[in-house]
Amino acid sequence: MRILLQPPRDARDAWCTAFATALPDAAITLWPEAPAETDYALVWKPPPELFLRVRPVRAIFNLGAGVDFLLAMSTLPPRIPVIRLEDAGMAEQMAEYITLAVLGAYREAGAYAEQQREGRWQPRARLAKPAFGVGFLGFGVLGQAVATALAPLGFPLVAWSASRKEISGVASFAGRGELDRFLAASRVLVCLLPSTPDTRDLLDRARLSRLPRGAHVVNVARGDIVVDDDLVALLDAGHLAGATLDVFRTEPLPPGHPFWHHPRIALTPHTSAVTMVDASVAQVAAKIRALERGDPVTGVVDRVRGY
Ligand SMILES: NC(=O)c1ccc[n+]([C@@H]2O[C@H](COP(=O)([O-])OP(=O)(O)OC[C@H]3O[C@@H](n4cnc5c(N)ncnc54)[C@H](OP(=O)(O)O)[C@@H]3O)[C@@H](O)[C@H]2O)c1
């Protein structure tokens, strides 16, 4: 079987070695070497010319969970299945990141840090946990795994997705008609939606205003789901207490962007969950072996809905 590998640049050697070990029978070509045809293309944010020079015939594997970049490429071959990473070590990292943000919001870490800077000794009344709902905007592979990790902490859990979920301990809301009710129940809003034509700019002023006063927004999905100016306006107006942001419309976040120095925003450079080489290679290799046997695999992207 022929494989074209175009891995993330920072760990090229590790990806090559891991795939060679996991698929010893495969003939692996490393981009920018470009055979005219390959059975499988394994790519991470490929340059547009990749699909002009190499024709994948069986499947394209995205070496990440989000496929917005790939689906936006005009050179992406139309009919070949696109398969994404599912968890592959990212859910545990997301659980760590989001737990930190939720607990920081609940125990008012930002307000205490401010008081410390001012040299002010002032115990604050404990927030009521039953009213401190954690809302998952997007409740797929990562959202569900993070909710499972958070469950022992005792916060009410609510989720919003395209289709309704039956998961014990989680109140499920589905579709646009139920979005406002979901937002009203989310004291911490955790965005884990894919970026699609349907979700871009979803969190604008009107929607963010539906969150309860004092709410905290955590965006670990994609920057273009949030309208930056509207988020800043609601933080400045005091409707929102804080935001934890890992993803941005433009990355790296441009110097001078208002997020950089906003006192109620904590930001990280798209590191909430990084791709783990070994777990990802094991998953992709297992799916390639399944496809070679003629078995179905999960994680196949629906190009019409965009995830
Ligand atoms: N910051 C990082 O480092 C990082 C790392 C990994 C992933 N991500 C981002 O996280 C996203 C989620 O990953 P995942 O693996 O959990 O994806 P997933 O399994 O595909 O889950 C997506 C969820 O969003 C829901 N959804 C999609 N479009 C919707 C719409 N228009 N209305 C309502 N719900 C909608 C889906 O609903 P249904 O369940 O009903 O289909 C599903 O629950 C990725 O797309 C990626 O952009 C970021």
Side-chain angles (χ1 to χ4, degrees), residues 162-176:
S163 57
R164 196 172 308 285
K165 312 292 181 206
E166 301 289 339
I167 293 178
S168 126
V170 181
S172 168
F173 296 83
R176 286 291 169 113

Side-chain angles (χ1 to χ4, degrees), residues 84 139-142 160-163 165 198 220 246 272-273 307:
R84 70 187 192 90
F139 204 51
V141 172
L142 296 178
W160 184 74
S161 41
S163 57
K165 312 292 181 206
D198 223 38
V220 283
D246 185 51
S272 55
Y307 67 100

